[in-house]
Amino acid sequence: MPSIEIVEVSPRDGLQSEQARLTTAEKVELIGLAVAAGARRVEAASFVNPKRVPQMADAEEVMRQLPRSAGLSYIGLALNERGAERAIAAGCDEVNFVVVASDTFSRRNQGATIAETLDRWRRVAAVAKAAGRRTSVTIAAAFGCPFEGEVGLDQVTSIAESLIEGESAPDEIALADSIGVGVPPQVTAAFEAVRQVAPAAKLRGHFHNTRNTGLANAFAAQAAGAQALDASLGGIGGCPFAPAATGNIPTEDLVYLLERSGVDTGLDLQRGIAAAQWLGGKLGKRVPGMLEKAGPFPAAA
Ligand code: ZN
């Protein structure tokens, strides 16, 4: 049976864009629910300036309280060396870094051009690799930019080529549709092209459901050979640069789609649905995911 890894990103990408704040204890409980549902990789926190992202100010404390077991990997987002050092000190198993595929979005989001961000990556990679941590780089806005419009595939492949140069090649490259504009043929072409230029890297997909194409894009990425997909319980989240953005694709909806299509995810659908409902309760709203409303099929005995 083919299989794919689902990376649970609700604790970071999801919560970061929600109005309601979860307490540290609630974040730890959320991650515990995801792990109990079968998640083996979880984006647990970001180690960025807490003045810029106050939702993540308790990153160290969250990490300290998390359940640990063999094969369970926590990812910390870091955008510079200082962040990488914090993530490592806090016990993150993996360090994720972001390069934005358009210069305008990059300057707004990272305060740096693409070229400057790639230089930063080399320093972050050196820190993470010296500490023996796994590394991944997300190429954000890989399918379209809120400021510049279309993003060419040659732009994405040239960033991938720069990333893998020399000593700093990441273990994994993610292609992210940060503003939810991509469609499946674009996804297929992008994964095939990046596979060509970076054959040694694992590939991961990160999709937002802003225009309701997120699950179709995830399925296309899987079919094109992506080894991992990001998803968020309940489909929570958004994007500060896309006012009407909905969140990441819902973990439980993705599990339903893939498992019914014969792709093993290692996740338990019922537990995923229960976790999404719990999360909606904490956020004080109905989450965007469909499975927590419709339920699985066939209905569980
Ligand atoms: Zn995202």
Side-chain angles (χ1 to χ4, degrees), residues 7-9 11 31 34-35 39-45 72-76:
V7 178
E8 181 56 40
V9 302
I31 293 168
V35 170
R40 286 295 166 265
R41 288 175 76 196
V42 179
E43 190 187 33
L72 177 54
S73 186
Y74 291 118
I75 304 167

Side-chain angles (χ1 to χ4, degrees), residues 41 43 45 47 73-89 91-98 121 123-129 131-138 170-172 204:
R41 288 175 76 196
E43 190 187 33
F47 296 85
S73 186
Y74 291 118
I75 304 167
L77 174 69
L79 299 178
N80 53 33
E81 286 162 281
R82 170 86 190 107
E85 283 159 3
R86 282 178 60 203
I88 290 160
C92 289
D93 305 285
E94 304 180 39
V95 174
N96 180 232
F97 182 83
V98 177
W121 159 245
R123 297 194 294 272
V124 165
V127 170
K129 286 171 188 271
R133 306 306 158 98
R134 280 193 297 282
T135 56
S136 64
V137 176
T138 299
D171 298 304
E172 183 181 70
R204 192 174 92 241

Side-chain angles (χ1 to χ4, degrees), residues 2 5 51 87 109 113 123 128 158 185 196 211 221 224 254 270-271:
E5 196 172 56
K51 289 196 185 83
N109 198 57
T113 63
R123 297 194 294 272
S158 97
Q196 290 277 323
R211 289 169 180 79
L254 181 63
Q270 291 286 3
R271 285 179 183 229

Side-chain angles (χ1 to χ4, degrees), residues 13 206 208 248:
D13 197 359
H206 179 101
H208 282 255
N248 298 95

Side-chain angles (χ1 to χ4, degrees), residues 5 19 39 55 85 90 107 133-134 139 157 190 194 198 201 210 224-225 231 233 245 257 277 284 290 298-299:
E5 196 172 56
Q19 292 291 326
Q55 294 94 328
E85 283 159 3
R107 279 196 298 270
R133 306 306 158 98
R134 280 193 297 282
I139 304 178
T157 53
V194 174
T210 317
L233 283 164
L257 170 67
Q277 289 169 339
M290 301 287 197

